[in-house]
Amino acid sequence: MSLSFEGRVVLVTGAGGGLGKEYALAFAERGASVVVNDLGADTKGGGKSSAAADKVVEEIRAKGGKAVANYDSVEDGEKLIQSALDAFGRIDIVVNNAGILRDRSFARTSDLDWDLIHRVHLRGSFLVTRAAWNHMKNQKFGRIIMTTSAAGIYGNFGQANYSAAKLGMLGLANTLAVEGRKYNIHTNTIAPVAGSRLTETVMPPDLVESLKPEYVAPMVLWLCHEQCQENGGLFEVGAGWIGKLRWERSQGSIVRQKNQPTSPEAVRDQWDKICDFTDATKPSSVQESLQSIVSVLSRVDSEEKVSGSPTAAAAAAASSASGINPTEAVGQKLPPTTFNFTHTQCILYALGVGMSTKDPDHLRFLYEGHSDFSCLPTFGVIPSQAAMMDGGLGSIPGLNIDFTQVLHGEQYLELYKPLPTSGKLTSEATIADVLDKGSGAVILLDVNTYDGKELICYNQFSVFVVGAGGFGGKRSSEKAKAPVPPPKRAPDAVVIDSTTRDQAALYRLSGDWNPLHIDPSFAAMGGFKSPILHGLCSFGFAARHVLKQYADNDPSRFKAIKVRFVKPVMPGQSLQTEMWKEGNRIHIQCKVKETDAVVLSGAYVDLHGASEASPENLTQGGGLQSQLVFAEIGRRIKDLGAELVKKVNAVFGWEITKDGKNAAQWTIDLKNGSGALHEGPFSGKVDVTFTVSDEDFMEVVQGKLNPQKAFFSGKLKVRGNIMLSQKLEVILKDYAKL
């Protein structure tokens, strides 16, 4: 299918002849509306004429095309863009092609020679592009071409002014590519080799004749078409040949040691290694450029004796240049991390994974005063993620990896008991295994999280390092928690839940501060149009869908979850969780509803059976100190029940917990008859219900804990007629004898 530019408006500067003319004719031939700009100056920037631009416009119109002429200097960029807006109502494509020459050897270059070249080439391209920029941003489309030169890339005698300006245009284009990506504005640079007024001064006549401008135009048209996603590229093009250029960097050499001065002699001694391009790297961004420097700092600061490149030691040990050595890495422990939290973090996490007060069932995860206030099970990833976020992997021998190439591939979480809603947790991480997948390496990171000395949860992070494979390691591991495909039948249940535009901004407050999820510029550098949702946020959405569908939102039913992250989700999209129930395992697959793209695959949630987690199956009151108190209250009610009914006239419910689970239930009926104490479920109406742990109940009864302080600290939860709590003193203080 041929490429069409129907509906597109193109501005070509310097289009009165040579390359610019060919671009203008080619765009018009394929349906574009073209603004033909040419000042009509000579090759040195002198004079002015409308004839060149007019002639090209006439040729386009004679062929049935649409074009207007513009005779302004590129230093009047706003006027050029206004010509496009006045004639055609928009601007889609800018080809910065205008240029002049004032060749002089460097010693003979005057201020005017220098300034005029920069004004036309670099400043002119800046002013024209800036005038078009906001129009392109608003319409979410733009294509920009900068024209550099071999003289700028490689240098050329007698062209210091021209070379500097032309390489400046490349730097400008590279930054515009970064800033424009999120708006679908792509900027590329070409270094054309073609016969023109400018090249005829530096090339033999026969070569000028054979290097026709029409051989360059197809490349420019392709880079400017909406189908082309190239952005930030640099291309040499001429004679029907096209080549892409990129930077190459040697592995380099570290020339200093910790607390030791760096000397020119050290540079001299390492010069051959500094200039050795064996196994050269090819950085393509500022982040990639800085990564090696950062790794050097960590190696020097850790007093590691280094010679040669940052990757040399790991490469030699692993018999490859991947920087991965499983023999050194597997079994290594990361520094322990601690996580202090209150109910605030639990609530913030629940909001971050989409819970809302619009759903009454969510209140138990959002309100610390709720009688069943609990922490979502998937909060278990939060205390452990510090092992990933704090850069601990960078300190592991045998893992010399580029952190700009690290992806979160899979996640497994298993709980051994319900998570507390506050406290201090400690996580210990170990490199469980390192796998060679060819195109990359997989690092399995096992993290055990403890509450004191008690193990409460286990995470396995599966981390994929792009480009780090090929070190000759094994491809699979018995230590890996493997994903499992869902049954081949229609799902048993489907839940659709919308994320908000601010979902990532909210979720990141739980500790994942990666700017990829909040900063549009950073996301653009990663190739995304806008910040993406955290994979572990989608993970949390899917888990709570299962918890509600199959466990009645009871966190004690949750045992484990495994997911594989497939594609990103954009905040504001809807998540569709498909579920298949097979025993206590719920297979899940999560999609973006709007695109049908799978984002979580091979996933499942394992639940405890209802009988395993049900409070009814716990020994009623067994081993609880509070049982003695209620026994005494029961005896007193038998003796003084009628008197207490007159004083109190209310029914009190008590839910006593132990280790975060309901352990006993009591009802003190001081409203009906002569009063009564009921153990277990109560069939009548309860006026107010108190939920408190066995330990805190005893503190209150003994007067060591003020009930009001217990309430405001979240230790004592109340539902129902809270004013009746004032009558607790009648029951507990006067009549509960221990």
Side-chain angles (χ1 to χ4, degrees):
M1 182 182 295
S2 62
L3 300 178
S4 172
F5 287 87
E6 286 287 345
R8 296 299 185 196
V9 177
V10 183
L11 165 66
V12 183
T13 66
L19 285 166
K21 175 182 176 181
E22 289 302 323
Y23 301 155
L25 293 174
F27 276 116
E29 184 180 347
R30 291 175 178 265
S33 301
V34 183
V35 177
V36 179
N37 162 262
D38 202 288
L39 184 63
D42 60 29
T43 59
K44 293 186 178 181
K48 184 174 183 180
S49 170
S50 63
D54 288 341
K55 186 176 179 180
V56 176
V57 170
E58 289 171 7
E59 186 173 345
I60 290 173
R61 289 176 176 174
K63 295 178 181 179
K66 294 166 286 187
V68 296
N70 174 274
Y71 320 113
D72 294 303
S73 166
V74 288
E75 290 190 90
D76 295 316
E78 293 285 353
K79 293 182 179 179
L80 275 68
I81 299 304
Q82 194 60 50
S83 292
L85 299 177
D86 291 344
F88 305 115
R90 60 186 290 128
I91 181 67
D92 298 292
I93 298 165
V94 170
V95 181
N96 290 294
N97 174 73
I100 60 171
L101 284 176
R102 292 179 74 93
D103 292 350
R104 299 278 193 280
S105 64
F106 181 65
R108 296 178 58 232
T109 301
S110 68
D111 288 354
L112 179 62
D113 294 331
W114 181 271
D115 292 342
L116 190 56
I117 289 294
H118 280 72
R119 282 166 52 192
V120 173
H121 289 273
L122 184 53
R123 179 173 167 77
S125 297
F126 156 68
L127 291 168
V128 172
T129 304
R130 186 179 66 177
W133 190 257
N134 283 335
H135 298 287
M136 292 178 172
K137 280 177 62 176
N138 292 337
Q139 67 198 18
K140 294 295 190 294
F141 179 86
R143 295 292 185 267
I144 298 165
I145 298 294
M146 295 291 179
T147 306
T148 189
S149 166
I153 300 169
Y154 307 110
N156 194 37
F157 184 86
Q159 293 189 304
N161 52 357
Y162 181 73
S163 299
K166 283 302 188 184
L167 198 58
M169 292 178 69
L170 175 60
L172 173 61
N174 288 342
T175 294
L176 294 183
V178 172
E179 292 189 15
R181 184 181 289 120
K182 63 184 175 182
Y183 303 111
N184 192 27
I185 303 174
H186 296 172
T187 305
N188 291 286
T189 306
I190 62 166
V193 181
S196 68
R197 292 190 305 163
L198 300 189
T199 56
E200 67 184 9
T201 64
V202 293
M203 291 182 180
D206 56 340
L207 184 58
V208 171
E209 179 61 28
S210 60
L211 294 174
K212 298 182 182 298
E214 53 262 41
Y215 296 153
V216 177
M219 176 61 174
V220 172
L221 265 68
W222 166 240
L223 289 174
C224 292
H225 197 271
E226 59 195 38
Q227 290 182 13
C228 181
Q229 295 303 302
E230 183 69 33
N231 188 32
L234 169 62
F235 302 88
E236 287 185 306
V237 52
W241 170 89
I242 301 168
K244 185 173 184 179
L245 286 78
R246 64 184 179 188
W247 297 104
E248 187 174 71
R249 181 175 64 187
S250 71
Q251 290 280 350
S253 180
I254 300 173
V255 296
R256 76 179 181 96
Q257 304 294 336
K258 187 175 182 180
N259 299 324
Q260 297 294 323
T262 302
S263 68
E265 290 79 13
V267 178
R268 175 199 63 197
D269 295 343
Q270 296 293 330
W271 192 248
D272 287 345
K273 291 182 179 180
I274 292 170
C275 299
D276 182 1
F277 277 84
T278 303
D279 297 323
T281 61
K282 301 172 179 65
S284 60
S285 68
V286 171
Q287 287 70 31
E288 290 182 25
S289 173
L290 289 175
Q291 193 276 330
S292 289
I293 305 300
V294 173
S295 70
V296 168
L297 290 174
S298 64
R299 288 169 65 95
V300 171
D301 289 344
S302 64
E303 297 187 314
E304 181 178 350
K305 185 172 179 58
V306 289
S307 63
S309 73
T311 58
S319 70
S320 86
S322 70
I324 300 290
N325 185 349
T327 304
E328 288 189 43
V330 174
Q332 291 284 343
K333 296 184 181 299
L334 280 68
T337 59
T338 58
F339 180 73
N340 294 286
F341 68 111
T342 67
H343 63 269
T344 302
Q345 281 77 21
C346 301
I347 294 170
L348 195 60
Y349 174 81
L351 292 169
V353 297
M355 290 202 134
S356 168
T357 55
K358 294 178 182 177
D359 188 333
D361 291 341
H362 292 180
L363 201 58
R364 69 178 297 175
F365 301 104
L366 298 175
Y367 174 42
E368 71 282 2
H370 192 281
S371 59
D372 295 321
F373 179 59
S374 304
C375 192
L376 272 173
T378 47
F379 183 76
V381 301
I382 301 301
S384 65
Q385 69 184 1
M388 292 283 295
M389 304 299 175
D390 291 352
L393 287 177
S395 66
I396 298 298
L399 292 184
N400 192 5
I401 58 178
D402 181 351
F403 285 93
T404 66
Q405 300 300 306
V406 170
L407 303 174
H408 193 173
E410 299 178 10
Q411 183 72 28
Y412 177 80
L413 165 67
E414 183 171 353
L415 299 189
Y416 301 112
K417 60 176 293 185
L419 297 171
T421 56
S422 63
K424 177 181 179 181
L425 304 178
T426 303
S427 295
E428 299 177 356
T430 305
I431 306 298
D433 218 336
V434 181
L435 309 179
D436 188 348
K437 296 294 187 178
S439 61
V442 171
I443 301 170
L444 299 180
L445 182 67
D446 285 352
V447 185
N448 289 313
T449 299
Y450 298 85
D451 184 0
K453 295 184 178 181
E454 185 177 12
L455 178 63
I456 61 168
C457 70
Y458 158 74
N459 279 271
Q460 184 177 85
F461 294 83
S462 178
V463 179
F464 187 79
V465 187
V466 179
F471 52 86
K474 59 185 180 180
R475 292 186 61 85
S476 60
S477 172
E478 69 281 357
K479 298 176 183 177
K481 300 293 184 179
V484 180
K488 294 183 178 180
R489 66 173 193 267
D492 301 323
V494 177
V495 173
I496 298 173
D497 211 345
S498 296
T499 67
T500 69
R501 289 280 298 175
D502 295 319
Q503 203 71 58
L506 184 57
Y507 182 85
R508 69 189 296 268
L509 301 180
S510 289
D512 187 341
W513 304 104
N514 189 337
L516 177 66
H517 306 292
I518 190 70
D519 185 345
S521 298
F522 196 91
M525 283 186 259
F528 300 103
K529 293 182 180 179
S530 61
I532 63 173
L533 195 62
H534 305 68
L536 285 176
C537 183
S538 302
F539 168 92
F541 266 80
R544 66 175 182 77
H545 290 164
V546 173
L547 199 66
K548 180 171 183 178
Q549 184 72 28
Y550 291 107
D552 196 28
N553 272 338
D554 181 358
S556 69
R557 295 279 310 279
F558 183 94
K559 181 180 180 183
I561 179 173
K562 169 70 181 184
V563 307
R564 171 179 287 163
F565 303 107
V566 182
K567 288 187 177 181
V569 178
M570 296 298 171
Q573 291 181 322
S574 299
L575 289 171
Q576 176 175 306
T577 303
E578 301 170 345
M579 295 169 267
W580 295 260
K581 188 177 189 303
E582 296 204 329
N584 286 333
R585 171 162 290 182
I586 314 300
H587 296 270
I588 56 176
Q589 178 174 269
C590 199
K591 297 179 178 179
V592 172
K593 183 179 184 296
E594 290 82 357
T595 65
D596 205 40
V598 175
V599 295
L600 301 179
S601 70
Y604 61 83
V605 173
D606 286 338
L607 299 174
H608 292 293
S611 60
E612 298 174 53
S614 172
E616 288 78 4
N617 287 287
L618 297 172
T619 302
Q620 178 71 28
L624 300 178
Q625 297 180 67
S626 56
Q627 188 175 26
L628 299 175
V629 177
F630 285 106
E632 177 62 24
I633 290 175
R635 286 193 292 271
R636 293 294 179 176
I637 289 176
K638 287 182 180 179
D639 296 338
L640 304 168
E643 182 181 343
L644 291 173
V645 168
K646 291 179 181 178
K647 284 185 177 181
V648 178
N649 191 32
V651 178
F652 297 88
W654 288 89
E655 294 173 349
I656 305 299
T657 66
K658 185 75 172 178
D659 296 327
K661 296 182 179 180
N662 286 343
Q665 185 175 337
W666 301 89
T667 305
I668 302 172
D669 182 358
L670 296 177
K671 179 184 281 187
N672 302 299
S674 299
L677 175 69
H678 302 273
E679 184 178 1
F682 181 68
S683 58
K685 180 183 177 182
V686 178
D687 296 305
V688 58
T689 301
F690 305 95
T691 302
V692 65
S693 72
D694 185 55
E695 295 83 355
D696 290 334
F697 177 84
M698 296 305 297
E699 293 281 297
V700 171
V701 169
Q702 293 173 324
K704 297 178 180 179
L705 177 62
N706 182 284
Q708 289 185 341
K709 290 184 178 180
F711 173 74
F712 286 114
S713 66
K715 293 182 177 181
L716 175 65
K717 301 177 180 65
V718 184
R719 65 178 187 270
N721 186 350
I722 194 171
M723 298 304 295
L724 290 174
S725 61
Q726 297 177 20
K727 297 185 178 182
L728 275 177
E729 187 175 4
V730 175
I731 304 171
L732 297 180
K733 185 176 180 180
D734 290 348
Y735 297 100
K737 302 293 178 67
L738 302 181

